[in-house]
Amino acid sequence: MLGEMLTGFAEAKPSDPPPPMPDAPKPLRNRWKFPAALIGVLLVLAVVARWWLGPQVVAETLQRRDLVQSVVASGRVETAHRVEVGAQITATVAYVPVAEGQTVKAGDVLIELESTEQRAIAQQAQIALAQAQTRLRQLNEVQMPVAEQALRQAQATLDNASSMWRRQQELFGQGFIGEAALDDSRKALALADAQRQSAQKQLDTLRAGGGEREFTAAAVVQARAGAEAASARAAYSVIRAPVAGTLIGRNVEPGDVVQAGKVLMTLSPDGPTQLVAEIDERNLRLLALGQPALASADAYPQQRFGAKLVYINPAINAQTGAVQVKLDVAAPPLALTQDMTVSVDIEVAQRHGALLLPVGALSDSAGPEAADGSVLRIEAGRAVRRTVRLGLRSGGWVEVLEGLSMGDRVVAAPAAVAPGSRVRAIAPAALP
């Protein structure tokens, strides 16, 4: 027995492969076949179900919201009017005490011109006025009393000559005097009467309505007008602010020789601030006076302020196809300055609780003002085309007047879906 064992050990070699294992039991090898087949069937069913139910599409659900339709425009800030300040005489600029951007009050000095010549002319005119007034005063205080006294003396002489003439007539009738003495008395009476008439006319011409008085009074009026004109021309050498406001333009420096009528400064008066904007003529039918608006300066977009439409230009710019409108700003922000660029949203219509649909859900290419459109409404898993009547549009939303109800779901991107096809609706990732 020991020999057989030694013999068998000697016949075995290290390089020989180990003896094969016995076959596994048959039930252990086949028990995974059924789950694998089941998974395959389920995958096939899932693929068939996806094909049968259709692709996933984003669906928008109709909802009710307040809708405000607005017309958006760009404009600028300006006051109701501007004042252009210029010289009224030709002169040399002596002093400019204000700077551009400075706020001034009515009557503040803006420009001073050289005024030596103008002051001399004004002084001469004042002297001429004083002389005319002296002549009028002399007429009242001297000539009038002298003329009145001369009239009284002439009247006394006439009375005396009349008495003498009557006595001479009596004496002539009694034969005490001759024809020559009577003739002398008649001549004396005629001379006294002529002197009295002359004194009366002299007094009349000095009284109110008389030629001498009117001439002297007219000379005073003329001299006064000349003095006022000279004073006014002298006052032109100092150019003052006609109204309170802000200086927004300055085109003059000391030493310049300025001409009459040339604009030297531009003043923006204090008063209501206005926005001037250009609106496309297609929106003209939507505009009406009194409509509210919200505006913001491009430099300060976060500072929105209210405005009101107060003017619509009846003419349309033929080159740009735009109409100019103006809006009053009751409480402008402090940062708002002249000629600043602003953006304006004019509220032209509003609906409370309107049934809204995203504009992108419209499946046809109707224009932005079209009254009708169509959508793909999801019904029983299919995208069905429905015609809808539309209303206001604003901010990417459109009002649905007829054709849909609240809670209906429509395909958000109908261009990629064929009408009548099966679809699986999913909610949008984020609502606008």
Side-chain angles (χ1 to χ4, degrees), residues 190 224 260:
R224 181 178 291 111

Side-chain angles (χ1 to χ4, degrees), residues 103-413:
T103 300
V104 297
K105 299 178 181 179
D108 285 354
V109 176
L110 302 180
I111 304 170
E112 290 185 8
L113 305 176
E114 294 290 346
S115 59
T116 303
E117 181 181 356
Q118 299 301 327
R119 287 198 305 267
I121 295 174
Q123 187 175 4
Q124 290 177 351
Q126 289 294 334
I127 293 173
L129 174 61
Q131 291 174 345
Q133 291 173 334
T134 300
R135 286 194 296 270
L136 180 60
R137 186 167 58 251
Q138 184 180 17
L139 184 147
N140 293 326
E141 298 176 357
V142 178
Q143 292 179 272
M144 275 285 293
V146 170
E148 291 173 350
Q149 181 64 29
L151 178 60
R152 286 193 293 269
Q153 291 177 353
Q155 183 64 47
T157 303
L158 177 61
D159 293 342
N160 187 36
S162 296
S163 300
M164 182 64 67
W165 165 250
R166 286 193 298 270
R167 287 196 300 270
Q168 293 294 85
Q169 282 182 321
E170 292 175 359
L171 292 174
F172 179 77
Q174 296 174 3
F176 292 109
I177 63 173
E179 184 71 29
L182 181 63
D183 189 55
D184 290 341
S185 178
R186 185 171 56 251
K187 290 180 180 179
L189 177 61
L191 178 61
D193 184 59
Q195 290 177 344
R196 190 264 175 198
Q197 291 181 12
S198 176
Q200 182 65 54
K201 290 182 179 179
Q202 182 66 26
L203 181 60
D204 289 343
T205 195
L206 297 176
R207 286 176 175 172
E212 184 68 21
R213 173 174 288 276
E214 292 297 324
F215 178 79
T216 306
V220 172
V221 173
Q222 184 178 6
R224 181 178 291 111
E228 291 176 355
S231 297
R233 290 183 63 84
Y236 292 159
S237 61
V238 179
I239 302 175
R240 300 180 182 273
V243 294
T246 303
L247 192 67
I248 61 174
R250 168 179 161 172
N251 305 314
V252 63
E253 296 296 337
D256 292 348
V257 177
V258 297
Q259 302 292 327
K262 180 182 178 182
V263 176
L264 305 179
M265 292 184 176
T266 303
L267 188 65
S268 174
D270 292 340
T273 299
Q274 283 191 333
L275 309 179
V276 178
E278 300 289 332
I279 305 294
D280 193 294
E281 63 179 315
R282 292 177 297 180
N283 296 318
L284 183 59
R285 62 182 178 81
L286 303 175
L287 301 178
L289 297 180
Q291 289 175 336
L294 282 177
S296 63
D298 290 358
Y300 305 95
Q302 303 303 321
Q303 299 183 18
R304 294 178 67 81
F305 52 90
K308 183 173 70 173
L309 184 63
V310 296
Y311 172 78
I312 303 174
N313 195 319
I316 296 176
N317 190 313
Q319 283 71 36
T320 63
V323 59
Q324 186 185 78
V325 300
K326 294 184 180 181
L327 303 97
D328 276 349
V329 181
L334 296 178
L336 207 63
T337 59
Q338 185 74 20
D339 293 327
M340 184 175 282
T341 303
V342 293
S343 297
V344 182
D345 295 344
I346 304 174
E347 182 181 318
V348 297
Q350 59 176 319
R351 294 283 191 277
H352 296 290
L355 188 63
L356 300 185
L357 174 73
V359 174
L362 295 174
S363 60
D364 53 18
S365 58
E369 303 298 329
D372 296 319
S374 63
V375 297
L376 295 180
R377 186 172 69 175
I378 299 176
E379 303 176 9
R382 292 183 179 274
V384 181
R385 184 182 295 278
R386 297 295 180 189
T387 301
V388 292
R389 190 163 68 89
L390 307 175
L392 298 182
R393 302 178 186 231
S394 180
W397 295 89
V398 59
E399 179 188 17
V400 178
L401 301 178
E402 293 180 3
L404 294 174
S405 302
M406 183 175 176
D408 286 351
R409 295 189 300 171
V410 298
V411 178

